[in-house]
Amino acid sequence: MTGHPTPIRRVSAAAGILLVLSVSAPARAEPADRPEANRKDGRHSDRNGAQQPGTDDGKKDGGKKDGGEKDVDTEHLFGFTEGADAGEKGEQEAVVDTVTRIGKRTGGPGSSTYRVLDTRFAYQFNPIDKLSIEFSAFGTLRRQRNVLDLDDKSYGTFDGASLEVKYQFLKGSKEQPLGLALEVRPRFTRILPVEGQGADIFDIESLLQLDVQLVPDRLWYGSNISFEPAAGRRRGGGSGYRSSTFLWSNALVARVGESTYLGPEIRYLRGYDGTFLNQLESEALTVGPALHHRFTEKIWLTVAYAGQVWGRDADPALAGRALGLNQFERHHVRVKFGMEF
């Protein structure tokens, strides 16, 4: 072995070089691979070194976009029909709501006037999610002259107060389009709504509210079913007063602008003598447009018109006369302005 040292040394040197190369090659390749597999920003480089967006960033951006969209508040969307939305905990709202009622049968020769403006000033708050409580005060302006079976009157006065409690069972959205709520509205009023005489009347309206998002973010349907019994006594030693009203309303509105909604509304009303739908006095069908516009996210306006297109009165003396004007009017106009805070 001492006679052949050179080949052994050469083989040992070659083996050592190969071992060093085999260990150092992966170590040198690792930095080049690391940006592809381990970059924390979710990006990778193309062959020219330009950074390209990774899938993680795309998901993140998409989530922000979806999360930024807010469902349309349907509560005031439909004109005379009320939407099912009730709001979230901590929300507050102030509303001025005026309904103008115009037109009755003429009581004799000459011109006839029947015009009543009922204005409600309301404050609403949400103590918890899906529950709203609203306090309202009412005022009325009235002018009636030469109207069948009614005395001539012209005045303005305070017309009582109400409490409205609403609970939302279902919240409509793109994924679940049905909204459903129940609202109860006890009210004390000082004026008979048709005759205009002074009285002390208590009524309580129960209102089932439903809305459906037919086309996501484009088309909505709203419907209400209402029962409202009333009882009290006329002032000045007058007789007792008992009445009740049944209402079924339907509305269809579409988004016609970024913050503007428009569509038709149809309502069917029945007025009774007696607190439990005892004796039919009048029925009427009204049709008209409803417009809702949001000036900002917190300030909005709703305008609606309802004209009586069919109706009848049960009084035999009015048999054959068009429309149901004993308990209802020819025209209704609603202007509702609100501010959320």
Side-chain angles (χ1 to χ4, degrees):
M1 293 179 64
T2 58
H4 305 279
T6 303
I8 295 175
R9 290 176 181 175
R10 290 177 178 175
V11 171
S12 299
I17 293 172
L18 291 175
L19 180 62
V20 171
L21 291 174
S22 65
V23 174
S24 61
R28 289 193 301 270
E30 185 176 359
D33 295 337
R34 185 171 299 167
E36 291 288 334
N38 300 323
R39 287 184 63 92
K40 294 183 180 180
D41 60 2
R43 300 174 183 267
H44 63 273
S45 299
D46 61 15
R47 294 181 179 179
N48 297 323
Q51 288 187 337
Q52 302 294 330
T55 55
D56 290 343
D57 279 357
K59 292 181 181 178
K60 186 176 181 181
D61 292 342
K64 285 184 178 180
K65 182 178 180 180
D66 293 340
E69 295 179 354
K70 184 178 180 181
D71 290 326
V72 173
D73 187 346
T74 63
E75 183 177 9
H76 308 289
L77 191 63
F78 301 106
F80 289 93
T81 304
E82 302 285 342
D85 279 351
E88 300 176 353
K89 180 179 179 180
E91 291 184 349
Q92 301 177 74
E93 184 176 67
V95 176
V96 179
D97 182 8
T98 298
V99 176
T100 304
R101 300 181 282 125
I102 304 172
K104 289 284 190 181
R105 286 195 177 89
T106 301
S111 62
S112 173
T113 299
Y114 185 89
R115 184 170 59 251
V116 181
L117 279 74
D118 297 317
T119 300
R120 178 173 66 96
F121 303 91
Y123 166 73
Q124 175 184 299
F125 70 98
N126 291 69
I128 60 174
D129 289 344
K130 299 183 179 181
L131 176 68
S132 68
I133 298 176
E134 188 169 66
F135 298 98
S136 300
F138 294 82
T140 185
L141 290 172
R142 176 181 294 263
R143 179 174 174 79
Q144 59 192 52
R145 185 174 63 84
N146 194 21
V147 177
L148 183 64
D149 296 332
L150 298 182
D151 297 331
D152 292 353
K153 294 181 180 296
S154 180
Y155 61 84
T157 188
F158 170 68
D159 192 22
S162 73
L163 169 68
E164 301 180 9
V165 180
K166 177 177 180 178
Y167 183 77
Q168 184 177 9
F169 297 96
L170 293 174
K171 166 68 176 177
S173 65
K174 294 179 182 178
E175 294 74 21
Q176 193 288 110
L178 176 64
L180 183 65
L182 178 65
E183 187 167 2
V184 180
R185 301 171 173 175
R187 175 184 172 182
F188 169 74
T189 182
R190 302 175 62 249
I191 304 295
L192 293 179
V194 175
E195 298 87 344
Q197 298 175 354
D200 295 312
I201 305 296
F202 179 79
D203 67 68
I204 179 167
E205 181 181 14
S206 300
L207 187 66
L208 183 65
Q209 303 164 339
L210 177 146
D211 59 58
V212 181
Q213 193 169 172
L214 298 176
V215 179
D217 206 35
R218 290 295 176 187
L219 185 66
W220 292 261
Y221 164 75
S223 181
N224 291 169
I225 296 178
S226 167
F227 169 61
E228 183 178 6
R233 183 169 295 276
R234 294 173 172 84
R235 290 204 192 97
S239 60
Y241 176 84
R242 301 287 187 275
S243 72
S244 52
T245 304
F246 171 81
L247 164 70
W248 181 33
S249 67
N250 299 270
L252 188 69
V253 299
R255 185 194 292 269
V256 296
E258 182 66 26
S259 302
T260 305
Y261 309 82
L262 178 67
E265 185 172 28
I266 182 169
R267 301 189 302 156
Y268 175 64
L269 305 97
R270 294 173 68 91
Y272 293 84
D273 180 20
T275 53
F276 297 102
L277 311 179
N278 303 87
Q279 182 178 351
L280 179 66
E281 291 192 335
S282 299
E283 58 181 333
L285 185 70
T286 69
V287 176
L291 171 70
H292 177 76
H293 178 74
R294 283 194 171 267
F295 300 98
T296 68
E297 184 180 349
K298 300 292 186 179
I299 300 175
W300 51 265
L301 175 71
T302 300
V303 180
Y305 166 77
Q308 192 174 153
V309 297
W310 175 88
R312 70 181 182 91
D313 291 318
D315 187 345
L318 300 174
R321 303 287 294 273
L323 306 182
L325 299 178
N326 190 2
Q327 294 295 314
F328 308 112
E329 294 76 29
R330 296 178 187 272
H331 311 282
H332 293 79
V333 179
R334 185 176 198 178
V335 179
K336 184 163 54 169
F337 176 80
M339 182 173 61
E340 303 165 10
F341 51 94

